[in-house]
Amino acid sequence: LGQHWSFEPIQEVAIPEPDLANWPQWQTNPIDRFVLKKLQERERSPSVPASKEALLRRVTLDLTGLPPTIEEIDAFLADDSETAYESVVDRLLASPHYGERMAWNWLDAARYADSNGYQGDRERTMWPWRDWVIRAFNENLPFDQFTVWQVAGDQLPEPTFEQKLATGFFRNHMINGEGGRIAEENRIEYVFDMTETMGTVWLGLTLNCCRCHDHKFDPLSRKNYYELFAFFNQTPVNGGGGDPQTPPVIAAPTDDQADQIAKLEHELRETRLAIEARRQELGEEQSAWEKDRLRQLSETATWSILKPTEMVADHQDLSLLEDGSVFVSGENPANDTYHLTLPLSKGKVTAIRLEAIRHESMTNGGLARSDSGNFVLTEIDLSLNQAGSEVAVPVKVATAEATFEQGNYTVEKTFDGNPKTGWAVYQGKPIDRNHEAIFRLAEPIEVTDEATLRVSLHHDSPHTHHNLGRFRMSVTAVPDPKLGDGQDALLSALRTSAEKRDQAQQKLIREEFLKADKTYQQLVAARERAEKQLQSTRNGLAKVMVLQDQPNPRETFMLTKGLYNKLEDKVTAATPESLPPLPEGSSSNRLGLANWLVANDNPLTARVTVNRFWQQFFGVGLVKTPGDFGVQGEVPVHLELLNWLAWHFRETGWDVKGLVRLIVTSEAYKQTSKSSPEAIEQDPENRFVGRGPRYRMPSWMIRDQALAISGLLVPKVGGPPVNGYQPPGIWEEATFGKKSYKQDSGDALYRRSLYTFWRRIVAPTMFFDTASRQTCTVQPIRTNTPLHALVTLNDITFVEAARKMAERVLKHSSEDGQRMEYAFRLATSRRPQAKEQTILLQRLDKLKTKYADEETGRQELLSVGESPRDESLDAVQLAAWTGVCTVLLNLDETLSKQ
């Protein structure tokens, strides 16, 4: 096949010396010298410059996607300086709307959308990446960095948040979550998409041909394809499910959210410092508080702890702890019974309480030494020995209540006479709290003198080794006692001498002491509020899917016909032999690939990129096939110009704004788009650039223009996608009723088209001739079908825009001639000719007559759209002017960039 021009190194090209005798202004900008030389070779001359109004409208639309205002037009017409136009260009390049306009083409290439695609088409939150693209263009991030960040920002040394966010470019692919889909097949498809998108966007090569066979035209083999595939084959994505936030993801706050998070984090730091300071202040007061609190609790205690005088277990050792609890030790048997003799004081006893208390020696610090830390108390036997009596009288339990019961293991089972049933407290996780049960007696015990209560605790469950490990017994005289109020544990801890308190008791006392301090509790409440607000804010952050390599490299194999399960030879990451190798010292990872894409000896990236920018401004690229720079792609008419632009772009630091400025300040760009039939016949697509660009604007720009002209446009930059006007049932029909469209209201209806929610399986109905956003698209779709008028004449947005434009016009002047001139300038940027003015005024008179007689039609027209109507304006006048403005918004001159 030989060496194709696009594979040759990019080198400086000598700028030609055309005959400038009649075109002296064409000598300054190198672009003009290339264009003029080529035109003279064909014995043709360039066109005259466009009018100032046409030129201002053209460049304003090209650089911001919006039309110029009347004030901007008048200012430009009044500026007779030699640098008037250059000043306009610099102003537009500095506009925040420049980034919005430049971002649209990049989103098409990046197949950006707000949903996954396929049947499920779940919503995703990739819009922070879209906003990063806008910022990158506005801040003029050099294109080599713009490239490296998106291909491998995560692999840069100590990557910033934005560098990692930028890699969302490659995660914009569709995600298949359909049932029965094979995860590995999905994963391979995603990597195919990444590989081929890279090939289209930066290399202008049709890599997808090589999935199945060596390229039939370009020097690219299947092996080359899978070697490039290997660079992207390291992500941890496994292809399973349809999660629109499939990890790896990055939380991306808006500016307001970032400010809120910073504010709350600062508040938290200050509050935590204040809490710690207050802790230190209170440290010396705790001892006095303990004594006072012990006295209060002792005076008001509902339960009296019983310390056994005798205690024995059938198989284990029992010992009494200082807090009155019994600790069980020794070898843990399958079953055991504990026997206790508890002294009773004179008075009444209505209920007995059993506390199961955790201990660090138990399983997971629980309540027993069973495998789960759980116990099963199968039976409790109670009997009373009054003073002087040797006969023990059985004590019956009437009812019982416990802090928790495990399924059928209820506390009533401890006095049902069945040794195989019982009370247990396992909740499916390690036991992390104490439990208690109260046993209400059938008849109160009247203790007239000293008496003893004998208690036997049986553990005869088939679940072996579930024996209580630490417990405590108490009695009360309250007629109908309830479960404890939480102060018993504190009382027990305070009664234990400081040197013998365990960690749990020390912690409890400290927490109760701090709770008693009002200032401390106010600080804790403030901390909890800030923590809750911070968590809520973080939970509300958009999660953007980004790139990241898994820790263990994944092997890559060639695939037979691209089938995920037909593995052939193993390959490693590398670049095609027909192109330069990776830069010396580069790793064979995405960062190495990114640096290779923008390396000086890469012949494609700079050429492919400047060609797309040229296409953006002239309607067709220097190479007509922007996605194919291979043998089947077009050899450009202006090959030398393309090579020089690529070289210049690279040598000036990949300066995008510099390149754009160079293009739009050229005399070639500033030519009038008007031309003779002969010239059009000789060069119908204007490939030799003998006239200025003229073509129908994309549908998104037409909509934005209408909003701007009407005054409805909300110029806010960035943010989540919005749902504008859309006919009912579109989403429902496309999703079998699973997705319902909910229209936004207010400002959201008038945001720029860039922010419209893009459902991948059914694009926004307000657009026509747009990329599907399902795969990478770098070739604009452009037709002039009359069907577009169904939208521009009837869609709510355009009818409402005509009404609001009419309001502007009516408020501008009280004279119809002046109003018409103003309206015409809003739509076309120029003043109407006398004949045009006459025709439009005649149409206005007819509409006034029509709407004076048709009240219903008038009201229907003026009620279209959600924006409020100016009731101070005459309804007939407003309806008539709305009709005229509809005509103006649909003029060919209004819908075209020329």
mmCIF file of all heavy atoms in Angstrom, residues 277-308:
data_model
loop_
_atom_site.group_PDB
_atom_site.id
_atom_site.type_symbol
_atom_site.label_atom_id
_atom_site.label_comp_id
_atom_site.label_asym_id
_atom_site.label_seq_id
_atom_site.Cartn_x
_atom_site.Cartn_y
_atom_site.Cartn_z
ATOM 1 N N ALA A 277 -11.696 20.479 74.664
ATOM 2 C CA ALA A 277 -11.331 21.495 75.666
ATOM 3 C C ALA A 277 -12.268 21.418 76.864
ATOM 4 O O ALA A 277 -11.837 21.542 78.023
ATOM 5 C CB ALA A 277 -11.377 22.886 75.032
ATOM 6 N N ARG A 278 -13.551 21.207 76.585
ATOM 7 C CA ARG A 278 -14.513 21.104 77.674
ATOM 8 C C ARG A 278 -14.266 19.849 78.494
ATOM 9 O O ARG A 278 -14.419 19.862 79.740
ATOM 10 C CB ARG A 278 -15.937 21.088 77.106
ATOM 11 C CG ARG A 278 -17.034 21.114 78.167
ATOM 12 C CD ARG A 278 -16.944 22.346 79.030
ATOM 13 N NE ARG A 278 -17.993 22.393 80.041
ATOM 14 C CZ ARG A 278 -18.000 23.203 81.086
ATOM 15 N NH1 ARG A 278 -16.979 24.074 81.264
ATOM 16 N NH2 ARG A 278 -18.981 23.196 81.964
ATOM 17 N N ARG A 279 -13.875 18.752 77.836
ATOM 18 C CA ARG A 279 -13.517 17.523 78.559
ATOM 19 C C ARG A 279 -12.405 17.805 79.573
ATOM 20 O O ARG A 279 -12.449 17.333 80.709
ATOM 21 C CB ARG A 279 -13.059 16.450 77.583
ATOM 22 C CG ARG A 279 -14.157 15.688 76.860
ATOM 23 C CD ARG A 279 -13.538 14.708 75.883
ATOM 24 N NE ARG A 279 -14.522 13.901 75.200
ATOM 25 C CZ ARG A 279 -14.969 12.722 75.631
ATOM 26 N NH1 ARG A 279 -14.514 12.230 76.770
ATOM 27 N NH2 ARG A 279 -15.853 12.048 74.942
ATOM 28 N N GLN A 280 -11.395 18.536 79.119
ATOM 29 C CA GLN A 280 -10.266 18.843 79.994
ATOM 30 C C GLN A 280 -10.715 19.699 81.175
ATOM 31 O O GLN A 280 -10.278 19.492 82.311
ATOM 32 C CB GLN A 280 -9.176 19.575 79.194
ATOM 33 C CG GLN A 280 -8.595 18.765 78.042
ATOM 34 C CD GLN A 280 -7.903 17.496 78.522
ATOM 35 O OE1 GLN A 280 -7.321 17.449 79.605
ATOM 36 N NE2 GLN A 280 -7.977 16.442 77.704
ATOM 37 N N GLU A 281 -11.608 20.652 80.902
ATOM 38 C CA GLU A 281 -12.097 21.518 81.974
ATOM 39 C C GLU A 281 -12.854 20.725 83.031
ATOM 40 O O GLU A 281 -12.784 21.019 84.228
ATOM 41 C CB GLU A 281 -13.021 22.596 81.391
ATOM 42 C CG GLU A 281 -12.329 23.624 80.515
ATOM 43 C CD GLU A 281 -13.328 24.581 79.878
ATOM 44 O OE1 GLU A 281 -14.516 24.537 80.270
ATOM 45 O OE2 GLU A 281 -12.928 25.359 78.997
ATOM 46 N N LEU A 282 -13.587 19.712 82.581
ATOM 47 C CA LEU A 282 -14.443 18.949 83.492
ATOM 48 C C LEU A 282 -13.684 17.855 84.245
ATOM 49 O O LEU A 282 -14.244 17.254 85.168
ATOM 50 C CB LEU A 282 -15.590 18.321 82.705
ATOM 51 C CG LEU A 282 -16.611 19.298 82.098
ATOM 52 C CD1 LEU A 282 -17.575 18.534 81.196
ATOM 53 C CD2 LEU A 282 -17.379 20.024 83.194
ATOM 54 N N GLY A 283 -12.458 17.596 83.847
ATOM 55 C CA GLY A 283 -11.725 16.462 84.405
ATOM 56 C C GLY A 283 -11.639 16.462 85.920
ATOM 57 O O GLY A 283 -11.795 15.419 86.574
ATOM 58 N N GLU A 284 -11.417 17.613 86.529
ATOM 59 C CA GLU A 284 -11.219 17.694 87.981
ATOM 60 C C GLU A 284 -12.535 17.629 88.749
ATOM 61 O O GLU A 284 -12.527 17.491 89.979
ATOM 62 C CB GLU A 284 -10.467 18.982 88.320
ATOM 63 C CG GLU A 284 -9.078 19.061 87.690
ATOM 64 C CD GLU A 284 -8.387 20.369 88.005
ATOM 65 O OE1 GLU A 284 -9.023 21.206 88.687
ATOM 66 O OE2 GLU A 284 -7.233 20.549 87.579
ATOM 67 N N GLU A 285 -13.657 17.758 88.086
ATOM 68 C CA GLU A 285 -14.955 17.790 88.753
ATOM 69 C C GLU A 285 -15.610 16.423 88.855
ATOM 70 O O GLU A 285 -16.630 16.269 89.533
ATOM 71 C CB GLU A 285 -15.898 18.750 88.009
ATOM 72 C CG GLU A 285 -15.357 20.163 87.885
ATOM 73 C CD GLU A 285 -16.275 21.065 87.070
ATOM 74 O OE1 GLU A 285 -17.452 20.674 86.894
ATOM 75 O OE2 GLU A 285 -15.821 22.125 86.619
ATOM 76 N N GLN A 286 -15.035 15.411 88.191
ATOM 77 C CA GLN A 286 -15.721 14.127 88.105
ATOM 78 C C GLN A 286 -15.823 13.418 89.449
ATOM 79 O O GLN A 286 -16.854 12.827 89.762
ATOM 80 C CB GLN A 286 -15.015 13.221 87.088
ATOM 81 C CG GLN A 286 -15.725 11.884 86.899
ATOM 82 C CD GLN A 286 -15.185 11.086 85.727
ATOM 83 O OE1 GLN A 286 -14.655 11.657 84.784
ATOM 84 N NE2 GLN A 286 -15.317 9.779 85.799
ATOM 85 N N SER A 287 -14.783 13.488 90.250
ATOM 86 C CA SER A 287 -14.782 12.763 91.525
ATOM 87 C C SER A 287 -15.910 13.228 92.431
ATOM 88 O O SER A 287 -16.641 12.407 93.012
ATOM 89 C CB SER A 287 -13.434 12.952 92.226
ATOM 90 O OG SER A 287 -13.419 12.279 93.466
ATOM 91 N N ALA A 288 -16.103 14.536 92.521
ATOM 92 C CA ALA A 288 -17.180 15.069 93.358
ATOM 93 C C ALA A 288 -18.538 14.674 92.797
ATOM 94 O O ALA A 288 -19.476 14.353 93.557
ATOM 95 C CB ALA A 288 -17.055 16.595 93.441
ATOM 96 N N TRP A 289 -18.653 14.684 91.463
ATOM 97 C CA TRP A 289 -19.932 14.299 90.833
ATOM 98 C C TRP A 289 -20.263 12.841 91.136
ATOM 99 O O TRP A 289 -21.423 12.503 91.392
ATOM 100 C CB TRP A 289 -19.839 14.527 89.316
ATOM 101 C CG TRP A 289 -21.063 14.047 88.578
ATOM 102 C CD1 TRP A 289 -22.196 14.751 88.343
ATOM 103 C CD2 TRP A 289 -21.263 12.748 88.004
ATOM 104 N NE1 TRP A 289 -23.109 13.986 87.653
ATOM 105 C CE2 TRP A 289 -22.564 12.742 87.426
ATOM 106 C CE3 TRP A 289 -20.489 11.591 87.919
ATOM 107 C CZ2 TRP A 289 -23.092 11.631 86.777
ATOM 108 C CZ3 TRP A 289 -21.028 10.495 87.272
ATOM 109 C CH2 TRP A 289 -22.312 10.508 86.706
ATOM 110 N N GLU A 290 -19.255 11.969 91.131
ATOM 111 C CA GLU A 290 -19.485 10.547 91.387
ATOM 112 C C GLU A 290 -20.079 10.327 92.775
ATOM 113 O O GLU A 290 -21.031 9.552 92.944
ATOM 114 C CB GLU A 290 -18.177 9.766 91.243
ATOM 115 C CG GLU A 290 -17.688 9.621 89.812
ATOM 116 C CD GLU A 290 -16.402 8.804 89.734
ATOM 117 O OE1 GLU A 290 -16.111 8.080 90.713
ATOM 118 O OE2 GLU A 290 -15.704 8.893 88.705
ATOM 119 N N LYS A 291 -19.529 11.004 93.751
ATOM 120 C CA LYS A 291 -20.024 10.841 95.117
ATOM 121 C C LYS A 291 -21.470 11.323 95.233
ATOM 122 O O LYS A 291 -22.316 10.660 95.848
ATOM 123 C CB LYS A 291 -19.139 11.616 96.088
ATOM 124 C CG LYS A 291 -17.721 11.060 96.194
ATOM 125 C CD LYS A 291 -16.874 11.902 97.141
ATOM 126 C CE LYS A 291 -15.436 11.371 97.212
ATOM 127 N NZ LYS A 291 -14.595 12.225 98.089
ATOM 128 N N ASP A 292 -21.747 12.472 94.628
ATOM 129 C CA ASP A 292 -23.086 13.019 94.704
ATOM 130 C C ASP A 292 -24.086 12.154 93.945
ATOM 131 O O ASP A 292 -25.205 11.915 94.408
ATOM 132 C CB ASP A 292 -23.084 14.445 94.130
ATOM 133 C CG ASP A 292 -24.415 15.142 94.299
ATOM 134 O OD1 ASP A 292 -24.889 15.242 95.437
ATOM 135 O OD2 ASP A 292 -24.988 15.580 93.264
ATOM 136 N N ARG A 293 -23.670 11.650 92.803
ATOM 137 C CA ARG A 293 -24.571 10.822 91.993
ATOM 138 C C ARG A 293 -24.837 9.488 92.669
ATOM 139 O O ARG A 293 -25.964 8.962 92.612
ATOM 140 C CB ARG A 293 -23.958 10.601 90.610
ATOM 141 C CG ARG A 293 -24.906 9.947 89.617
ATOM 142 C CD ARG A 293 -26.079 10.841 89.350
ATOM 143 N NE ARG A 293 -27.007 10.253 88.376
ATOM 144 C CZ ARG A 293 -28.313 10.380 88.433
ATOM 145 N NH1 ARG A 293 -28.887 11.076 89.426
ATOM 146 N NH2 ARG A 293 -29.081 9.842 87.517
ATOM 147 N N LEU A 294 -23.830 8.911 93.330
ATOM 148 C CA LEU A 294 -24.008 7.652 94.052
ATOM 149 C C LEU A 294 -25.026 7.819 95.175
ATOM 150 O O LEU A 294 -25.901 6.968 95.388
ATOM 151 C CB LEU A 294 -22.674 7.172 94.624
ATOM 152 C CG LEU A 294 -22.726 5.902 95.494
ATOM 153 C CD1 LEU A 294 -23.292 4.733 94.698
ATOM 154 C CD2 LEU A 294 -21.336 5.562 96.024
ATOM 155 N N ARG A 295 -24.941 8.948 95.864
ATOM 156 C CA ARG A 295 -25.899 9.219 96.939
ATOM 157 C C ARG A 295 -27.321 9.335 96.382
ATOM 158 O O ARG A 295 -28.273 8.750 96.934
ATOM 159 C CB ARG A 295 -25.511 10.516 97.654
ATOM 160 C CG ARG A 295 -26.472 10.922 98.777
ATOM 161 C CD ARG A 295 -26.102 12.287 99.333
ATOM 162 N NE ARG A 295 -26.084 13.312 98.301
ATOM 163 C CZ ARG A 295 -27.186 13.896 97.793
ATOM 164 N NH1 ARG A 295 -28.379 13.522 98.224
ATOM 165 N NH2 ARG A 295 -27.081 14.825 96.872
ATOM 166 N N GLN A 296 -27.489 10.060 95.264
ATOM 167 C CA GLN A 296 -28.817 10.242 94.668
ATOM 168 C C GLN A 296 -29.416 8.910 94.221
ATOM 169 O O GLN A 296 -30.589 8.616 94.491
ATOM 170 C CB GLN A 296 -28.733 11.194 93.475
ATOM 171 C CG GLN A 296 -28.359 12.619 93.821
ATOM 172 C CD GLN A 296 -28.149 13.463 92.573
ATOM 173 O OE1 GLN A 296 -28.314 13.001 91.455
ATOM 174 N NE2 GLN A 296 -27.755 14.718 92.775
ATOM 175 N N LEU A 297 -28.608 8.112 93.547
ATOM 176 C CA LEU A 297 -29.114 6.841 93.036
ATOM 177 C C LEU A 297 -29.423 5.867 94.160
ATOM 178 O O LEU A 297 -30.382 5.086 94.077
ATOM 179 C CB LEU A 297 -28.099 6.228 92.060
ATOM 180 C CG LEU A 297 -27.912 6.954 90.734
ATOM 181 C CD1 LEU A 297 -26.804 6.292 89.916
ATOM 182 C CD2 LEU A 297 -29.214 6.974 89.932
ATOM 183 N N SER A 298 -28.621 5.892 95.221
ATOM 184 C CA SER A 298 -28.846 4.983 96.351
ATOM 185 C C SER A 298 -30.165 5.307 97.040
ATOM 186 O O SER A 298 -30.893 4.418 97.507
ATOM 187 C CB SER A 298 -27.693 5.073 97.348
ATOM 188 O OG SER A 298 -26.486 4.677 96.740
ATOM 189 N N GLU A 299 -30.497 6.615 97.109
ATOM 190 C CA GLU A 299 -31.721 7.043 97.785
ATOM 191 C C GLU A 299 -32.967 6.718 96.968
ATOM 192 O O GLU A 299 -34.056 6.544 97.523
ATOM 193 C CB GLU A 299 -31.663 8.550 98.053
ATOM 194 C CG GLU A 299 -30.614 8.934 99.096
ATOM 195 C CD GLU A 299 -30.474 10.440 99.238
ATOM 196 O OE1 GLU A 299 -31.124 11.169 98.426
ATOM 197 O OE2 GLU A 299 -29.736 10.904 100.127
ATOM 198 N N THR A 300 -32.814 6.647 95.659
ATOM 199 C CA THR A 300 -33.984 6.459 94.787
ATOM 200 C C THR A 300 -33.992 5.111 94.079
ATOM 201 O O THR A 300 -34.804 4.882 93.182
ATOM 202 C CB THR A 300 -34.030 7.573 93.718
ATOM 203 O OG1 THR A 300 -32.835 7.509 92.923
ATOM 204 C CG2 THR A 300 -34.143 8.937 94.376
ATOM 205 N N ALA A 301 -33.116 4.204 94.469
ATOM 206 C CA ALA A 301 -32.991 2.936 93.760
ATOM 207 C C ALA A 301 -34.284 2.116 93.851
ATOM 208 O O ALA A 301 -34.869 1.981 94.925
ATOM 209 C CB ALA A 301 -31.830 2.125 94.320
ATOM 210 N N THR A 302 -34.733 1.605 92.737
ATOM 211 C CA THR A 302 -35.924 0.757 92.682
ATOM 212 C C THR A 302 -35.586 -0.678 93.014
ATOM 213 O O THR A 302 -36.358 -1.381 93.662
ATOM 214 C CB THR A 302 -36.531 0.821 91.267
ATOM 215 O OG1 THR A 302 -36.862 2.166 90.977
ATOM 216 C CG2 THR A 302 -37.776 -0.046 91.166
ATOM 217 N N TRP A 303 -34.405 -1.125 92.590
ATOM 218 C CA TRP A 303 -33.980 -2.503 92.767
ATOM 219 C C TRP A 303 -32.853 -2.587 93.791
ATOM 220 O O TRP A 303 -31.964 -1.745 93.808
ATOM 221 C CB TRP A 303 -33.493 -3.099 91.442
ATOM 222 C CG TRP A 303 -34.571 -3.222 90.400
ATOM 223 C CD1 TRP A 303 -34.903 -2.312 89.463
ATOM 224 C CD2 TRP A 303 -35.447 -4.328 90.226
ATOM 225 N NE1 TRP A 303 -35.945 -2.760 88.696
ATOM 226 C CE2 TRP A 303 -36.297 -4.018 89.133
ATOM 227 C CE3 TRP A 303 -35.620 -5.571 90.871
ATOM 228 C CZ2 TRP A 303 -37.296 -4.866 88.677
ATOM 229 C CZ3 TRP A 303 -36.601 -6.427 90.417
ATOM 230 C CH2 TRP A 303 -37.433 -6.080 89.330
ATOM 231 N N SER A 304 -32.905 -3.610 94.601
ATOM 232 C CA SER A 304 -31.842 -3.864 95.584
ATOM 233 C C SER A 304 -31.044 -5.080 95.146
ATOM 234 O O SER A 304 -31.616 -6.168 94.941
ATOM 235 C CB SER A 304 -32.446 -4.121 96.976
ATOM 236 O OG SER A 304 -33.176 -2.991 97.414
ATOM 237 N N ILE A 305 -29.748 -4.882 94.973
ATOM 238 C CA ILE A 305 -28.890 -5.982 94.534
ATOM 239 C C ILE A 305 -28.704 -6.976 95.677
ATOM 240 O O ILE A 305 -28.463 -6.590 96.824
ATOM 241 C CB ILE A 305 -27.535 -5.435 94.061
ATOM 242 C CG1 ILE A 305 -27.742 -4.535 92.833
ATOM 243 C CG2 ILE A 305 -26.569 -6.568 93.741
ATOM 244 C CD1 ILE A 305 -26.473 -3.823 92.391
ATOM 245 N N LEU A 306 -28.820 -8.252 95.321
ATOM 246 C CA LEU A 306 -28.626 -9.316 96.304
ATOM 247 C C LEU A 306 -27.269 -9.963 96.094
ATOM 248 O O LEU A 306 -26.991 -10.484 95.012
ATOM 249 C CB LEU A 306 -29.733 -10.371 96.172
ATOM 250 C CG LEU A 306 -31.183 -9.872 96.319
ATOM 251 C CD1 LEU A 306 -32.152 -11.033 96.132
ATOM 252 C CD2 LEU A 306 -31.385 -9.208 97.679
ATOM 253 N N LYS A 307 -26.449 -9.934 97.113
ATOM 254 C CA LYS A 307 -25.142 -10.578 97.029
ATOM 255 C C LYS A 307 -25.225 -11.937 97.708
ATOM 256 O O LYS A 307 -25.561 -12.026 98.898
ATOM 257 C CB LYS A 307 -24.063 -9.725 97.689
ATOM 258 C CG LYS A 307 -23.816 -8.416 96.965
ATOM 259 C CD LYS A 307 -22.632 -7.661 97.583
ATOM 260 C CE LYS A 307 -22.339 -6.386 96.818
ATOM 261 N NZ LYS A 307 -21.159 -5.674 97.364
ATOM 262 N N PRO A 308 -24.971 -13.005 96.985
ATOM 263 C CA PRO A 308 -25.149 -14.347 97.546
ATOM 264 C C PRO A 308 -24.175 -14.633 98.694
ATOM 265 O O PRO A 308 -23.009 -14.228 98.652
ATOM 266 C CB PRO A 308 -24.889 -15.265 96.354
ATOM 267 C CG PRO A 308 -24.070 -14.450 95.413
ATOM 268 C CD PRO A 308 -24.496 -13.040 95.599
#
